[in-house]
Amino acid sequence: MQHQPLDVAIVGGGLVGSLLALHLGKKGHEVNLYEYREDIRTAELVIGRSINLALSARGRRALAEVGLEEALLDHGIPMSGRMLHDVNGNRKIVPYDGNTNQCIYSVGRKHLNEVLLNAAEKYPNIHLHFNHKLVSANLDEGNLSMVDPQTKEVKSARADLIVGCDGAYSAVRKEIVKRPRYDFSQTYIEHGYLELCIPPTADGKFAMPHNYLHIWPRGQFMMIALPNQDRTWTVTLFMPFTQFHSITDQERLIEFFRQYFPDAIELIGRERLIKDFFKTKPQSLVMIKCRPYNVGAKGLIIGDAAHAMVPFYGQGMNAGFEDCTVLTELFNQYGTDLTRILPEFSEKRWEDAHAICDLAMYNYIEMRDLVTKRSYLLRKKLDELLFWLLPNTWVPLYNSVSFSHMRYSKCIANRAWQDKILTRVLYGASFASIAAIGGLTYRHVTVGHLEQLSTAILSMFQLLKPKASV
């Protein structure tokens, strides 16, 4: 195997880019990290998405590999389940894992990025470059051209490996998309998001129980809230743009909240709700799928640059962090032989990335609508029972995605297998019940009675029947 240290250029100094710098810097490679923004650790205002992040098993493992898991868990706030708010203000708890009480952690995007950059700065072979915006790259030769957004000074660099970690609108990916026969799709959903805030109570406490992800599911739209270290809540309203555009003044806004989120008016505060709602425009949500992720043995994209997803499974960051784990494992296996590492990463990762993109879309429907259905709650209870009885055989979908390292594509295949088993069992139980009751009472039952019995059993079957797999 080749073991000569590489000169690596990482484009994008966000969460995935800074973590990958740590992974590769720890292995002794010379890493230059280029970020088009100023250093967020000294910036007064960070422009960009501030949706809270849900740290789960995949992200935790990638952080543990560079010695940062415990530091982030100490900062994060554990959330053991969802707390659902109905239109009357009543609340219901739905645990993520009713058997072992596993949890996900609410962490601040800015804090996590600062921790990663501070850790990277301690390595003498990791070099941080801010205000470096990529304008072009020759991924076959390993050449980059960048410009300082403020001074307009043009700079160039050369590397053995260029890795694009520059998000959903990746400049590195734009260079790859130009190539023939490249698979790429970009999908904007018809729903946008807008952030609000629930302040602490007058005595400085959380305004709601803080160890839960709070959800206001309303069918075609929803609102969620995640806890912050300063006792505030980051509240995110997701709904169709047409609905956002219909709220044109404060009277319509308050009327809308009184109808759908009456308890949130008091939690947020009437005046603050009005101010925050009209302060910014609702933002778009995009899903990116593409393949392959490499250009020969010199170019690669990971994280959102390779597989941006909607935020409803809380796996965007975790999937990007898992990219770092998978790539590091290939470096461990093949040394620095990029002719083997990069193509294998692409082949190994694209199917899982596409799978979690699809799961994230599905989970929006679950969070805004299905969580209120009896069929969903019954299925969840059944999954928990079977998981308790057969922990190595029957792993519920959410557990496999958030609390295991099972490949995302395997999570979907596992769920499809479970649906198939349950469908067969339910059909078998239905016909067995009809046969048993018919055998006992056929002399005393009319055709009308049998029809009523069949209808009742089929209704029960429809209630318990698993939802279509994604």
Side-chain angles (χ1 to χ4, degrees):
M1 291 191 300
Q2 301 175 22
H3 291 285
Q4 186 70 24
L6 302 171
D7 286 324
V8 182
I10 297 176
V11 180
L15 301 178
V16 175
S18 52
L19 179 61
L20 181 62
L22 286 168
H23 274 254
L24 296 181
K26 185 179 178 182
K27 299 183 74 63
H29 301 294
E30 198 74 16
V31 179
N32 284 282
L33 182 67
Y34 300 102
E35 168 57 44
Y36 83 91
R37 299 171 299 180
E38 60 183 314
D39 190 341
I40 65 166
R41 296 169 296 176
T42 57
E44 292 184 6
L45 176 65
V46 178
I47 299 174
R49 294 188 306 165
S50 59
I51 292 177
N52 291 54
L53 302 166
L55 179 63
S56 54
R58 300 170 199 270
R60 289 176 58 178
R61 180 170 70 171
L63 290 168
E65 289 166 347
V66 293
L68 292 178
E69 179 187 19
E70 291 304 321
L72 269 302
L73 293 187
D74 289 342
H75 168 82
I77 299 175
M79 299 182 295
S80 59
R82 299 163 172 167
M83 183 170 284
L84 310 181
H85 297 239
D86 68 16
V87 291
N88 297 315
N90 300 314
R91 301 173 181 177
K92 176 189 294 184
I93 295 172
V94 181
Y96 288 130
D97 182 359
N99 296 327
T100 58
N101 297 317
Q102 297 190 80
C103 62
I104 60 178
Y105 288 80
S106 174
V107 295
R109 180 187 299 274
K110 185 173 186 292
H111 174 81
L112 176 52
N113 208 165
E114 289 176 343
V115 168
L116 293 170
L117 290 173
N118 287 336
E121 206 166 43
K122 295 177 181 178
Y123 283 77
N125 55 320
I126 299 179
H127 314 282
L128 308 180
H129 308 275
F130 299 98
N131 296 309
H132 280 61
K133 181 180 180 180
L134 181 71
V135 291
S136 65
N138 185 327
L139 299 178
D140 295 304
E141 300 295 332
N143 297 324
L144 305 95
S145 179
M146 292 159 287
V147 64
D148 186 322
Q150 298 175 350
T151 66
K152 306 304 179 183
E153 179 186 359
V154 178
K155 303 176 182 180
S156 60
R158 183 179 177 85
D160 299 314
L161 171 62
I162 299 172
V163 186
C165 304
D166 48 342
Y169 305 101
S170 168
V172 178
R173 191 186 64 239
K174 288 179 181 177
E175 297 293 331
I176 303 176
V177 171
K178 297 174 184 177
R179 294 170 176 263
R181 300 181 63 192
Y182 188 74
D183 289 335
F184 171 78
S185 69
Q186 173 180 283
T187 304
Y188 282 96
I189 66 173
E190 296 179 355
H191 297 232
Y193 73 91
L194 189 146
E195 284 200 349
L196 305 168
C197 178
I198 294 176
T201 60
D203 55 355
K205 296 181 180 179
F206 280 108
M208 303 182 292
H210 65 280
N211 291 124
Y212 301 95
L213 167 64
H214 288 252
I215 307 178
W216 289 257
R218 298 297 182 263
Q220 292 302 309
F221 53 91
M222 72 173 183
M223 191 166 69
I224 67 171
L226 282 83
N228 299 311
Q229 285 286 345
D230 61 0
R231 307 296 191 271
T232 63
W233 293 82
T234 298
V235 181
T236 312
L237 175 60
F238 298 95
M239 65 181 183
F241 280 103
T242 53
Q243 192 106 34
F244 275 117
H245 295 156
S246 69
I247 302 175
T248 56
D249 53 52
Q250 64 182 48
E251 288 75 20
R252 292 187 180 185
L253 173 64
I254 297 303
E255 180 183 351
F256 173 77
F257 266 74
R258 281 175 178 163
Q259 181 177 357
Y260 295 107
F261 312 111
D263 59 330
I265 298 176
E266 182 178 355
L267 290 167
I268 298 172
R270 188 180 187 278
E271 296 306 315
R272 181 163 191 163
L273 170 60
I274 294 170
K275 178 183 176 182
D276 289 351
F277 187 91
F278 292 108
K279 181 172 60 178
T280 58
K281 295 181 179 180
Q283 302 297 303
S284 300
L285 294 166
V286 67
M287 177 177 69
I288 301 289
K289 291 181 179 180
C290 59
R291 61 178 293 204
Y293 299 143
N294 70 297
V295 173
K298 282 189 176 291
L300 183 70
I301 53 173
I302 69 171
D304 281 356
H307 44 71
M309 64 194 72
V310 294
F312 306 114
Y313 226 117
Q315 287 296 303
M317 174 190 68
N318 291 286
F321 281 8
E322 190 174 57
D323 287 345
C324 298
T325 296
V326 173
L327 190 59
T328 299
E329 289 172 349
L330 292 172
F331 270 93
N332 292 338
Q333 184 176 353
Y334 298 122
T336 56
D337 187 353
L338 297 178
T339 62
R340 303 184 70 179
I341 292 171
L342 302 195
E344 187 163 329
F345 176 87
S346 285
E347 187 59 33
K348 187 174 185 178
R349 197 62 178 149
W350 76 266
E351 188 175 3
D352 292 328
H354 287 196
I356 189 56
C357 284
D358 291 337
L359 281 171
M361 292 289 284
Y362 163 78
N363 212 46
Y364 184 31
I365 300 171
E366 177 175 303
M367 292 174 71
R368 78 186 192 212
D369 187 24
L370 300 184
V371 291
T372 64
K373 308 295 185 183
R374 279 196 301 163
S375 56
Y376 169 85
L377 297 173
L378 284 171
R379 172 62 188 266
K380 184 170 179 58
K381 290 293 185 183
L382 180 58
D383 276 335
E384 289 176 355
L385 174 62
L386 293 172
F387 185 36
W388 178 72
L389 293 171
L390 306 165
N392 296 321
T393 303
W394 195 279
V395 182
L397 178 61
Y398 191 89
N399 294 64
S400 65
V401 171
S402 297
F403 303 131
S404 84
H405 303 291
M406 183 186 298
R407 294 184 60 172
Y408 288 125
S409 54
K410 175 65 176 175
C411 293
I412 290 181
N414 186 55
R415 173 66 173 219
W417 171 80
Q418 292 172 354
D419 287 352
K420 186 176 181 180
I421 293 296
L422 287 181
T423 299
R424 288 180 176 178
V425 169
L426 288 169
Y427 268 121
S430 298
F431 288 116
S433 298
I434 293 174
I437 295 174
L440 291 172
T441 62
Y442 79 96
R443 292 183 179 179
H444 308 287
V445 177
T446 67
V447 173
H449 289 143
L450 286 175
E451 290 177 348
Q452 292 175 9
L453 178 62
S454 298
T455 300
I457 292 175
L458 288 173
S459 297
M460 183 182 298
F461 170 76
Q462 291 297 327
L463 181 64
L464 293 173
K465 184 179 179 181
K467 298 296 180 184
S469 299
V470 294

